[in-house]
Amino acid sequence: MPKLILMDHDGAIDDLLSQLLVLTMPDTELIGITVTPADCYIEPALESTYKLLQLMGQEQVALGRGDYYGINAFPNEWRARPEIINALPMLINLPKSPDPYAYLSAPELIIDKLSSATQNVTILMTGPCSNLVLALEKAPELKAKIDEIVWMAGAFRTNGNVQTFQHDGSAEWNVFWDPISSQKLVSYELPLTLIPLDVTNHVPVTKKFLSTLATQIDYKLSNLTGQLWALTLDTIPSYHYTYFMWDLLATSYLAIPEQFTTEIVKANVSTRPPNAGQTYLDSTGYELKIATDVNVDYFYEYMLGQYKQ
Ligand code: AGV
Ligand code: CA
């Protein structure tokens, strides 16, 4: 029996790369993708999502449209990136998706897929967790159908990556977008594994990686992913950052968990300024698993191998 995966992403470049990575994994069946309008605008992001499914011959995978908008919006420059992606040579001539408003809403699709699944489902989230929390508030009995939740989120023993007004910099963006839902998810004490900045800080997008990827460009996936990665190297002036392989690392946890060091902790999420969205260790908090380290060389090699198709 293949492992069943339900993915929720938020349309950023590494989210789309993560979708591709899931589609390369043997013994896994992607049963649905929901898109959160966080680090993207929903229409172009659904178009990218559908085009990538077509490229992999998997256009039967059901899509769900996130209609809920979080509390703290992402910068618009980040959200606009999928427009560029849809115009790349390998994607521009693929048919557009059906009318995005004809899709089920994301929580509806999650409910539908979890209730009809014949075995427990792994949920991979590479954006905020609002869609999942909306689904579980509506159908709490479906918590029993979840095998594990793997979520790129949080920052525990390191700084966050949010730099904005009314904020002290301690939060990671996926949590900050909707601190209230994040706090709820943690409080459910489901089997939850977070891949936080503590470990994603070890995996920046490097020129060395891109240059190795370029040597295998005759593979369709290496060609496309090389172009996608190159788009991450632009910067917003004054917003200090490096692009990391945040979501790819979380996604690879599904395939190579033995390459990660993890720790069971008790933690909670702040929902108020000045640290809204901060994930913090707290002995009176809720139990969850966090990744603290990864075999970096193995991870890069793993991705290069998966892109050889
Ligand atoms: O905080 C990391 C999350 C990941 O899910 N996202 C990007 C990844 O998809 C938000 C984010 C933080 N810094 C960013 C982000 C940046 N410089 N550009 C775009 N998104
Ligand atoms: Ca993301």
Side-chain angles (χ1 to χ4, degrees):
M1 280 284 250
K3 189 170 163 145
L4 303 184
I5 313 273
L6 200 49
M7 180 177 193
D8 188 293
H9 73 59
D10 69 338
I13 295 179
D14 62 327
D15 294 82
L16 297 169
L17 284 158
S18 297
Q19 178 189 331
L20 281 172
L21 188 64
V22 171
L23 291 167
T24 68
M25 290 178 184
D27 307 322
T28 54
E29 186 187 338
L30 187 56
I31 59 171
I33 304 178
T34 49
V35 180
T36 299
D39 208 347
C40 67
Y41 292 101
I42 194 70
E43 297 87 356
L46 280 166
E47 183 179 332
S48 307
T49 304
Y50 182 65
K51 286 187 167 179
L52 295 182
L53 286 174
Q54 286 178 73
L55 193 85
M56 302 297 283
Q58 300 271 345
E59 57 269 42
Q60 82 290 348
V61 174
L63 300 187
R65 180 196 64 251
D67 292 322
Y68 171 83
Y69 287 78
I71 296 162
N72 301 298
F74 274 87
N76 290 338
E77 290 84 348
W78 299 356
R79 297 183 64 197
R81 279 204 178 105
E83 293 283 21
I84 308 171
I85 293 167
N86 293 328
L88 289 174
M90 288 170 76
L91 301 179
I92 190 159
N93 291 328
L94 294 175
K96 278 202 170 195
S97 47
D99 175 8
Y101 295 94
Y103 291 128
L104 287 186
S105 83
E108 281 169 349
L109 187 75
I110 294 171
I111 289 172
D112 186 58
K113 290 295 170 185
L114 282 181
S115 41
S116 62
T118 51
Q119 69 191 79
N120 281 6
V121 174
T122 299
I123 297 183
L124 171 65
M125 295 189 295
T126 58
C129 65
S130 323
N131 287 329
L132 177 64
V133 170
L134 284 167
L136 293 178
E137 285 197 319
K138 207 164 168 196
E141 71 282 4
L142 292 177
K143 288 175 186 162
K145 298 294 282 284
I146 297 175
D147 192 34
E148 184 181 14
I149 301 169
V150 177
W151 186 23
M152 190 283 121
F156 289 86
R157 300 182 183 106
T158 187
N159 291 333
N161 61 6
V162 170
Q163 293 174 28
T164 190
F165 302 99
Q166 284 247 67
H167 206 275
D168 65 7
S170 59
E172 182 280 323
W173 264 103
N174 288 340
V175 184
F176 179 63
W177 194 74
D178 185 356
I180 305 276
S181 295
S182 304
Q183 201 281 331
K184 282 182 187 160
L185 181 65
V186 164
S187 76
Y188 295 158
E189 291 196 312
L190 293 168
L192 172 64
T193 300
L194 298 188
I195 311 295
L197 298 184
D198 306 62
V199 62
T200 61
N201 281 343
H202 298 186
V203 293
V205 180
T206 63
K207 291 264 174 69
K208 179 164 175 282
F209 177 83
L210 296 193
S211 143
T212 311
L213 186 58
T215 65
Q216 50 183 65
I217 200 161
D218 289 343
Y219 293 99
K220 184 174 73 171
L221 269 190
S222 296
N223 187 347
L224 179 61
T225 55
Q227 297 188 43
L228 290 172
W229 280 125
L231 293 175
T232 68
L233 298 184
D234 69 334
T235 58
I236 299 177
S238 86
Y239 201 101
H240 145 84
Y241 75 96
T242 314
Y243 209 95
F244 292 90
M245 296 191 171
W246 297 284
D247 296 347
L248 274 294
L249 189 64
T251 304
S252 75
Y253 181 79
L254 299 179
I256 52 166
E258 73 287 351
Q259 300 299 324
F260 288 73
T261 310
T262 59
E263 195 179 319
I264 308 275
V265 298
K266 288 203 164 191
N268 210 337
V269 178
S270 165
T271 54
R272 294 193 198 155
N275 64 334
Q278 183 186 14
T279 49
Y280 58 93
L281 301 176
D282 173 6
S283 57
T284 65
Y286 303 99
E287 191 167 295
L288 53 92
K289 195 192 273 188
I290 61 174
T292 55
D293 204 359
V294 63
N295 181 342
V296 171
D297 292 338
Y298 194 102
F299 164 67
Y300 286 121
E301 283 302 319
Y302 168 71
M303 281 197 298
L304 290 167
Q306 294 304 107
Y307 293 150
K308 284 189 180 165
Q309 54 171 288

